[in-house]
Amino acid sequence: MEVLLHENADGASVVAGKIVARLVRQKPNAVLGLATGSTPLGLYRELIRLHQDEGLDFSQVTTFNLDEYIGVDGNHPCSYRRFMMENLFSGLNIPESQIHIPDGLASDIPAHCEAYEEAIQVAGGIDLQVLGIGSDGHLGFNEPTSSLASRTRIKTLTKETREDNARFFERPEDVPHHCITMGMGTILDSRVCLMLAFGENKASAVAQAVEGPVSAMIPASALQLHPHVHVLLDEGAARKLTRKDYYEHVYDNKPAWQQY
Ligand code: GLP
């Protein structure tokens, strides 16, 4: 696991943009796993800038989003589909047929989840998965005690997650109780994981994910089992890490070919 410490979210987002851009230049038909939430917004702005100002071409890229609320129409202002359209896809040139987001209105949810997994396989697997982290340590919507081998499926949100996400809804009671989310096994199958975390309210989850024991109580800790993970943090999110000196030392001594 590579832990990259930045002063602020903007600096981390620019580096995350470089990591994604490098992949898309090397493999124009890359498969990207994408996340929602406020955390990846800076990365998405950077990808749009790279596309519009520097001609980074996304026309052959395929995307799979991590999750979606159940019972929420894709046009609803709080749906993750709408979020992605407004904050990323409207600024890039990815054909809509190459964009995949779970359908919160699917009539047969287990069949839809199975088809989602199959579509990832057919696309060749996810090359790079963008991740945020919930304050309870979740990835996607894999809440604490999620199986670390789970696949795309229905999950029930914790009280904490519903409270955290209430800010996007008109009334707190409007936050759905259920969602479809890629599983931890789905996420761990990605070739590269890029986790971003900003702000002090993520510090405890980040410290447990990066330095704590691997446990289904902190699903993000399963990233310790993955061979290629970048964790990009701002000062607040890094506050509770105990090995910060080492992560900085590693970064300062990176061989030129490994630098961003
Ligand atoms: C939601 C999403 C997660 C995201 C998390 C953190 O629960 N399902 O994928 O990582 O929110 O959100 P934020 O980035 O807004 O803190």
Side-chain angles (χ1 to χ4, degrees):
M1 187 180 284
E2 176 186 56
V3 182
L4 298 168
L5 308 177
H6 292 268
E7 241 172 73
N8 54 45
D10 288 348
S13 300
V14 169
V15 171
K18 285 185 182 172
I19 293 171
V20 175
R22 183 188 286 183
L23 168 68
V24 173
R25 283 192 193 103
Q26 278 170 356
K27 186 177 178 186
N29 62 347
V31 178
L32 301 180
L34 298 174
T36 52
S38 41
T39 305
L41 284 175
L43 165 63
Y44 294 165
R45 277 194 294 272
E46 181 60 12
L47 294 180
I48 291 171
R49 190 195 66 75
L50 286 163
H51 170 62
Q52 295 183 352
D53 298 352
E54 295 183 23
L56 185 64
D57 181 21
F58 286 82
S59 63
Q60 294 179 60
V61 165
T62 296
T63 67
F64 288 90
N65 260 77
L66 280 168
D67 46 16
E68 180 59 284
Y69 293 111
I70 285 182
V72 172
D73 182 276
N75 290 316
H76 187 281
C78 295
S79 76
Y80 282 172
R81 174 171 289 277
R82 175 90 172 254
F83 175 96
M84 292 305 298
M85 292 300 165
E86 285 176 357
N87 292 296
L88 184 65
F89 298 136
S90 57
L92 300 182
N93 63 335
I94 307 178
E96 207 157 337
S97 59
Q98 289 157 219
I99 292 171
H100 303 84
I101 300 172
D103 178 2
L105 293 183
S107 53
D108 184 341
I109 290 171
H112 179 64
C113 293
E114 213 172 295
Y116 202 72
E117 287 279 335
E118 264 171 43
I120 294 173
Q121 292 309 315
V122 169
I126 293 171
D127 291 301
L128 182 145
Q129 176 66 57
V130 175
L131 297 162
I133 183 171
S135 61
D136 63 1
H138 73 227
L139 293 184
F141 271 135
N142 291 283
E143 298 285 33
T145 71
S146 285
S147 157
L148 299 185
S150 50
R151 312 304 304 187
T152 303
R153 68 212 184 291
I154 184 171
K155 281 297 287 182
T156 304
L157 302 179
T158 60
K159 191 169 165 278
E160 194 175 349
T161 298
R162 289 188 70 241
E163 282 166 8
D164 281 350
N165 292 357
R167 68 190 191 279
F168 298 109
F169 289 79
E170 234 171 73
R171 299 171 309 167
E173 59 270 32
D174 293 342
V175 184
H177 284 274
H178 296 106
C179 63
I180 294 172
T181 181
M182 277 187 203
M184 288 306 303
T186 323
I187 293 169
L188 293 175
D189 279 351
S190 310
R191 293 179 188 98
V192 175
C193 291
L194 174 59
M195 188 177 91
L196 303 163
F198 305 135
E200 213 157 337
N201 70 321
K202 300 291 173 72
S204 166
V206 165
Q208 292 181 83
V210 173
E211 297 180 339
V214 175
S215 161
M217 286 299 280
I218 300 288
S221 65
L223 292 176
Q224 294 175 34
L225 300 170
H226 191 285
H228 195 160
V229 179
H230 309 276
V231 177
L232 277 72
L233 308 171
D234 71 355
E235 277 181 359
R239 194 138 295 160
K240 293 193 174 163
L241 291 171
T242 63
R243 304 297 301 258
K244 265 193 279 188
D245 289 354
Y246 177 62
Y247 310 138
E248 273 161 4
H249 174 76
V250 170
Y251 188 71
D252 292 344
N253 291 285
K254 254 181 177 307
W257 60 271
Q258 273 193 345
Q259 283 168 10
Y260 303 114

